[in-house]
Amino acid sequence: MSWTIAPEPFDSPVAAALWRAYYTEVSDRWYLLHEGRRTDPDELEREIAADRGDYLAPPGGVLLVARHDGRPAGMAGVRLMDPATAELKRVFVHPDVRGKGGAPLLVTAAEDAARALGAGRMVLDTRGDLVEARALYARLGYVETAPYNDNPYAEHWFGKPLV
């Protein structure tokens, strides 16, 4: 079984399907943990539509799509925050292919894309309940840092030099 990773327009049907799967999973996890229910369908539609991801378009960003045996199976986005700092966004691998090496490949490809955009540092934020993500980032050399944004859902901030 093989992985391929390539840039994808942020507004393609493939990107939209992956964004929907990602957002549904992280939103449902949050609501199940904090309120014992899944995301309200109307709220889900509003929030998915509200974040089109246009910041993942060139020249200041990129969306990468991972395919496992040719099937879209994950994504990672990069956006420049300033000329030297990129932010890692939307890291997601479909549950049915998790544990098959896709996530580290995606993050590594995102780091390469950030370097190509001129960044010397990558930052990201995540939540406390996303323990798998935090473990992945730590394995890949990211270290916890002070907050760099005011994202109301962020509980952990990470950074990594890219040079």
Side-chain angles (χ1 to χ4, degrees):
M1 294 186 215
S2 65
W3 287 96
T4 59
I5 298 173
E8 178 84 20
F10 76 93
D11 57 355
S12 75
V14 167
L18 289 166
W19 171 230
R20 175 173 292 283
Y22 166 84
Y23 194 86
T24 300
E25 180 176 339
V26 297
S27 183
D28 280 351
R29 280 178 73 160
W30 191 90
Y31 277 109
L32 286 167
L33 178 65
H34 295 283
E35 297 185 13
R37 65 171 176 88
R38 294 194 181 281
T39 311
D40 174 85
D42 290 337
E43 179 186 358
L44 185 67
E45 293 307 316
R46 280 193 312 274
E47 294 303 319
I48 288 171
D51 186 356
R52 294 179 11 89
D54 53 345
Y55 48 84
L56 300 176
V62 64
L63 178 69
L64 301 171
V65 168
R67 287 177 168 77
H68 187 259
D69 290 339
R71 184 181 67 85
M75 67 177 173
V78 175
R79 75 174 183 117
L80 283 178
M81 296 180 63
D82 61 50
T85 308
E87 183 178 32
L88 185 61
K89 304 289 289 179
R90 298 188 182 191
V91 177
F92 173 73
V93 174
H94 268 294
D96 61 335
V97 292
R98 289 183 187 158
K100 297 180 188 244
L105 292 174
L106 267 167
V107 174
T108 299
E111 292 170 354
D112 291 342
R115 284 186 201 93
L117 292 171
R121 182 169 190 255
M122 183 84 88
V123 297
L124 64 93
D125 66 36
T126 190
R127 297 190 328 231
D129 64 306
L130 301 177
V131 295
E132 307 91 342
R134 291 187 3 248
L136 169 70
Y137 302 135
R139 259 193 332 273
L140 296 177
Y142 287 80
V143 296
E144 287 217 44
T145 65
Y148 66 86
N149 63 23
D150 59 359
N151 178 348
Y153 294 102
E155 298 169 319
H156 299 271
W157 293 262
F158 289 84
K160 179 181 178 179
L162 298 176
V163 292

